[in-house]
Amino acid sequence: MHLKITESRLPFAPLLLIAPFFLWGTAMVAMKGVSPHTTPFFMAGVRLVPAGVMVLIAAASMGRPQPKGWGAWLWILLFAIVDGALFQGFLAQGLMRTGAGLGSVMIDSQPLAVALMALWLFGEKIGLWGWLGLAIGVLGISLLGLPEEWILAAVQTIGQGHWALDDFSVINFVLNLFDNGQGLMLLAALSMAVGTVLVRYVCRYADPVSATGWHMILGGLPLFWLSSQLESDQWINLSVSNWTALAYSTIFGSAIAYGLFFYFASSGSLTSLSSLTFLTPVFALLFGNLFLSEILSPLQWLGVSLTLVSIYLINQREVLTERLKRSSEEVSPDQSGAVQNSSLSPQSDGEVAGVPLTVAETEPERLP
């Protein structure tokens, strides 16, 4: 994976490269630690609005233009509703019912939905590796999202030669799915995926950094309104350490993480950068176990592993296809015949079995 990090003017560029994913993963752990002491809509609003103000201040200091015209503001408003209010709202509600590590895996399954929407809307090719990743991802998400007793009952039923589950109810299925939090995390992932697609349209009318700041503010205000109408005692039980965790999620998990992400994305390494998204749930699982003593069942670990593999295959499908194509073209029929014929003839200096020894002059392989 060629990220050209050595060309960056920033010190410690390799560490800064993985910083957004480290910050997003650890922010999930910080939010989960605060969730028992506050309310979900208030926590979601706190993470969005102050971070949006910070991003706008940074955009102004960099001389980024502000949105102009009804078209720009309408797309930003739609972006704010989907990627701001819905995403953070479902995320905060889901964290109340599931762990930080498991929730992060569910959230970072959004490349699966992005790949399908890009196929339908923009005609982007998924390819062999992409479809394989989608299939593995569906299996992994099923192991994570469905209640474990359902999965075990289904396996036992199929093992006995039956292919239909008795007493199956769609209503009970939906209620159980949303009660354990995984369904809410899937809705959060879907909202983030739609928001990722909307960015293409937003950037046609507005600067992406300024639009990001405004979408955080406009998306956070409805969450504060919902909190004022539906919740109570939002901050009464918050300690100094809880406020510190919220500040970390806001400053580092939102403002700085998005700032670094946009910096590296603007340098032309977006394709390679997106392949690092699988690091987010890895950090969340690690620190969730370390600080919150979160433990996953063997079946959930299997689902986590399959989901991470699927995310990698989806993000790296073009690179894997190119590698497979190059490896198949390394030895063509003409070249293999020349090698066999040259093995029967005397070898000249600088050749081994008719193959020149000047391979050091070959240009190194460059990945996108």
Side-chain angles (χ1 to χ4, degrees):
M1 185 166 53
H2 185 62
L3 294 175
K4 298 182 181 179
I5 55 177
T6 56
E7 299 175 8
S8 175
R9 297 180 181 178
L10 294 176
F12 311 111
L15 294 178
L16 290 175
L17 188 64
I18 65 173
F21 313 101
F22 171 82
L23 295 174
W24 283 330
T26 52
M28 290 282 289
V29 178
M31 292 174 64
K32 178 60 179 179
V34 175
S35 60
H37 308 284
T38 185
T39 55
F41 289 131
F42 174 78
M43 181 170 60
V46 168
R47 187 178 182 187
L48 276 181
V49 176
V53 174
M54 295 177 192
V55 171
L56 287 181
I57 293 175
S61 65
M62 293 186 294
R64 297 276 187 169
Q66 292 297 312
K68 297 179 181 179
W70 284 105
W73 285 109
L74 287 175
W75 278 112
I76 291 175
L77 180 61
L78 180 59
F79 186 38
I81 294 173
V82 175
D83 191 70
L86 291 179
F87 169 56
Q88 291 294 338
F90 286 134
L91 170 62
Q93 291 284 352
L95 272 177
M96 296 290 179
R97 300 170 176 84
T98 189
L102 180 58
S104 181
V105 175
M106 304 292 287
I107 291 297
D108 284 291
S109 67
Q110 56 90 17
L112 309 180
V114 171
L116 289 176
M117 286 188 289
L119 171 66
W120 297 332
L121 296 176
F122 308 116
E124 294 187 1
K125 295 181 180 179
I126 294 181
L128 173 64
W129 294 107
W131 286 114
L132 179 61
L134 286 173
I136 296 176
V138 170
L139 179 58
I141 293 300
S142 299
L143 294 179
L144 292 172
L146 297 177
E148 190 166 328
E149 59 271 16
W150 289 16
I151 299 175
L152 297 177
V155 172
Q156 183 179 5
T157 302
I158 295 174
Q160 295 174 353
H162 303 287
W163 293 90
L165 295 177
D166 298 330
D167 302 326
F168 178 80
S169 171
V170 175
I171 297 179
N172 291 333
F173 173 81
V174 175
L175 291 178
N176 280 277
L177 186 62
F178 284 85
D179 184 62
N180 61 20
Q182 281 89 316
L184 292 169
M185 287 300 186
L186 285 177
L187 285 177
L190 182 60
S191 300
M192 184 179 180
V194 175
T196 302
V197 175
L198 286 176
V199 167
R200 286 197 175 188
Y201 299 98
V202 173
C203 292
R204 295 177 183 177
Y205 298 89
D207 175 76
V209 178
S210 298
T212 298
W214 281 112
H215 109 280
M216 287 181 173
I217 295 175
L218 296 177
L221 293 178
L223 294 172
F224 278 136
W225 180 82
L226 288 173
S227 177
S228 66
Q229 299 297 313
L230 304 176
E231 299 173 344
S232 61
D233 300 332
Q234 292 93 328
W235 56 80
I236 292 179
N237 298 318
L238 290 175
S239 63
V240 175
S241 61
N242 296 146
W243 282 111
T244 303
L246 281 177
Y248 177 85
S249 299
T250 301
I251 299 172
F252 293 92
S254 292
I256 295 179
Y258 278 106
L260 288 174
F261 184 84
F262 276 114
Y263 172 80
F264 286 110
S266 64
S267 67
S269 58
L270 182 59
T271 301
S272 299
L273 187 64
S274 65
S275 67
L276 298 177
T277 56
F278 72 94
L279 289 176
T280 303
V282 172
F283 287 126
L285 287 166
L286 175 63
F287 286 91
N289 178 266
L290 184 63
F291 291 102
L292 304 177
S293 300
E294 294 181 353
I295 299 176
L296 301 183
S297 67
L299 197 61
Q300 288 176 324
W301 274 117
L302 177 60
V304 167
S305 302
L306 292 176
T307 303
L308 295 180
V309 169
S310 70
I311 293 171
Y312 176 80
L313 291 177
I314 291 292
N315 283 323
Q316 290 289 285
R317 62 188 185 275
E318 295 181 0
V319 176
L320 293 173
T321 300
E322 185 66 21
R323 285 181 178 176
L324 182 63
K325 181 180 178 180
R326 290 179 179 178
S327 62
S328 64
E329 294 177 351
E330 282 183 355
V331 180
S332 63
D334 295 338
Q335 291 175 332
S336 61
V339 171
Q340 293 176 358
N341 293 333
S342 62
S343 64
L344 301 177
S345 61
Q347 298 171 9
S348 60
D349 294 337
E351 293 187 357
V352 177
V355 180
L357 295 180
T358 57
V359 293
E361 300 176 1
T362 304
E363 184 178 0
E365 179 182 351
R366 293 184 180 180
L367 300 180

